[in-house]
Amino acid sequence: MNTALQIWITSTRQLRTWSWLKKLLLLIFSIVFIFSSFLFLTPFGKSLRVEMAQLVIATQHRPWAWIFVGGRERDQMVADLIARNEKRGLDPQNKGLVDVTRKNRSAEDLIKVEDISGPRWKGKKMYVYDPTSIRVVVPSKPKEGERISSMVERTGAIAGVNGGGFDDPDGLGNGFAAIGFIISGGQLLFNDNNADTPQHMVGIDDQGFLYIGKYSLNELNAKKVKEAVTFYPRIIANSVPLIKSGDGGSGVQPRTAIGQKADGTIIIIVIDGRQTSSIGATEKEVQDLFMKEDVVNAGFLDGGASSELVLKGQGVVTKPSSRFGERRLPSGFLIFDHPDDYVPDRVWDGITKIDPGGAYDNPAFLKELADKRARGELTPTTKQGEEPSPKASSSTVKKQTPAPSGSKNDPSSKPVVSAKPNTSNSPAPTSTKAPTISSTPSPEPSTDVTVKVN
């Protein structure tokens, strides 16, 4: 009998004498060893770790991506992602490639919604045949964002999707601490930057042309942009796809994206994610969907748990990934039969501090904790994130003397921010009454930007 066989027989006999606990521990150790070896010693394992890191980096939990690739590689991945997104937004758009021809349609003919699906996702695609019917809608009261379904019902809109990014502590923010700027009806409702610094944005001018990319607020003012929010990245510019290789670098996420065809038709895509029935799509997959439609320009709105599509009379027709359902948001893109009838509320005017909220004051989260405590699943002892913490994460605005329109010192307040999660100069409100637009580079939008995909 050879030596290997003898060792096998002896080991088998010895294992039979072990207690069940020893056998269980050996099984766990073996599984961990095999799985770790697969992840760290095989090319496919490394690819899987990178994909997981990309997914985490695109959320507000970006620091935890080190678990999959280590701190140094995580930082490099973040730097590469930012550099790619910056580059994608630079080339100017050729307005001559779009001729807006479809206007003055009836409410019944204004939009068309279709189901779409891919290998691992499901979603909706909405055609908007008159781009001038789209308005940026904001909450009706200060200190709290508003759900898109509430915005649609309140304003009588035909449909609506989520808009720009916001500061989102713990993924449980109140949706009021917007990032970048918000323009509606030509009015600058919110701004945390100077007028001459380009920022990532998505907006529509008075003729219905869709602007996506990096533009200063002064540029947008000159281009007569009437509706705009801050978010990124752009994925198609002047009919050219910008993701040439890879999947875009932000992993598989819930997505909301917007594009425009040569005849002016707007296409909005909303893809569900982080669910067993639909885990989400990559940036490249969304780009491919737009390219099949011959879209001229396209890019992303806020994504993650914020992604949703609401239709009048039907409510939410997609499946937001938040366990609490619809989120409170600072802005939405809504479609109207009579878009000029909507007058935005200037809810940020006069506010010098913005509390972005968080676990300590999120009603749904606090109710969940109370229900668990009632069922005996939690002790009465204070849990982390339960009790109100000092509101140090508020944005503080230093009021300044208004300067002439279009000057380097825009007639907007420049925020001084303290202790805001995942941002280096977080948003704070301004009180500007004209669409002269202001900038310092805004923080990366949170993907749920952080580009939230929360």
Side-chain angles (χ1 to χ4, degrees), residues 95 98-103 129-133 204-211 223-227 260 263-266:
K95 193 172 179 179
V98 176
D99 181 15
V100 179
T101 57
R102 297 184 174 183
K103 292 186 177 181
Y129 295 110
D130 180 0
T132 63
S133 67
I204 299 173
D205 71 8
D206 59 347
Q207 299 301 308
F209 181 76
L210 177 67
Y211 282 97
K223 294 178 184 298
K224 298 182 180 180
V225 170
K226 295 183 62 179
E227 315 293 327
Q260 186 171 42
D263 66 359
T265 300
I266 295 288

Side-chain angles (χ1 to χ4, degrees), residues 119-166:
R120 53 188 175 185
W121 54 264
K122 297 178 181 178
K124 301 285 186 180
K125 178 168 60 179
M126 177 169 65
Y127 298 86
V128 183
Y129 295 110
D130 180 0
T132 63
S133 67
I134 298 176
R135 295 291 309 274
V136 169
V137 175
V138 297
S140 60
K141 59 183 180 180
K143 300 184 179 180
E144 182 180 11
E146 185 175 1
R147 293 171 178 85
I148 300 300
S149 61
S150 173
M151 291 182 181
V152 168
E153 182 177 1
R154 172 171 61 85
T155 63
I158 297 171
V161 297
N162 55 294
F166 60 102

Side-chain angles (χ1 to χ4, degrees), residues 162-182:
N162 55 294
F166 60 102
D167 189 15
D168 190 23
D170 311 309
L172 298 167
N174 59 30
F176 193 66
I179 286 176
F181 57 75
I182 298 174

Side-chain angles (χ1 to χ4, degrees), residues 167-169 172-177 354-358 361 393-395 420-421:
D167 189 15
D168 190 23
L172 298 167
N174 59 30
F176 193 66
I354 293 181
D355 173 18
D361 72 344
S393 58
S394 298
S395 305
K420 293 196 80 172

